[in-house]
Amino acid sequence: MQKLALGERDGGCAGCGAPPAWCHGHHLEWWDRDGGRTDLENGVLLRTGCHHRLHADGWGIRVDGPGIDAKVWLIPPRWIDAQCTPRLAGKSRYTLTA
């Protein structure tokens, strides 16, 4: 059920937009190392390649808000963006605003 909810919120991979079927849930606070919860606020959908790239390159992820209406942000490392300006991720980045 949680993967379905992540798919509804994220629309697929938060990194590249790949379909939810190609993705797996990623804990923001690792459940085995950090005791992170398994819930929507502590997870995003990522394709395997994006998952490894985010870890290897030092990206951060932030989830703002509750449930499927939350916004997911990717936070670049300083070597990419000195200000570490969060970038809207998931399906929210495709939402048109007036």
Side-chain angles (χ1 to χ4, degrees):
M1 290 296 277
Q2 288 182 2
K3 185 174 179 185
L4 293 174
L6 288 172
E8 179 67 26
R9 184 194 69 200
D10 299 348
C13 178
C16 71
W22 297 3
C23 302
H24 58 276
H26 167 68
H27 287 83
L28 303 180
E29 293 179 21
W30 297 6
W31 64 270
D32 60 344
R33 184 187 73 187
D34 303 327
R37 305 166 329 276
T38 299
D39 58 24
L40 296 181
E41 288 76 28
N42 191 44
V44 296
L45 283 184
L46 290 172
R47 186 179 56 83
T48 299
C50 289
H51 189 172
H52 291 297
R53 181 176 45 83
L54 290 174
H55 279 296
D57 291 347
W59 286 74
I61 303 171
R62 186 176 82 211
V63 177
D64 289 340
I68 62 171
D69 296 321
K71 302 279 189 233
V72 176
W73 300 86
L74 297 180
I75 305 165
R78 291 202 185 282
W79 66 271
I80 291 177
D81 175 357
Q83 285 73 43
C84 299
T85 306
R87 301 172 183 192
L88 197 54
K91 74 178 183 182
S92 296
R93 72 179 147 208
Y94 303 117
T95 303
L96 298 176
T97 58

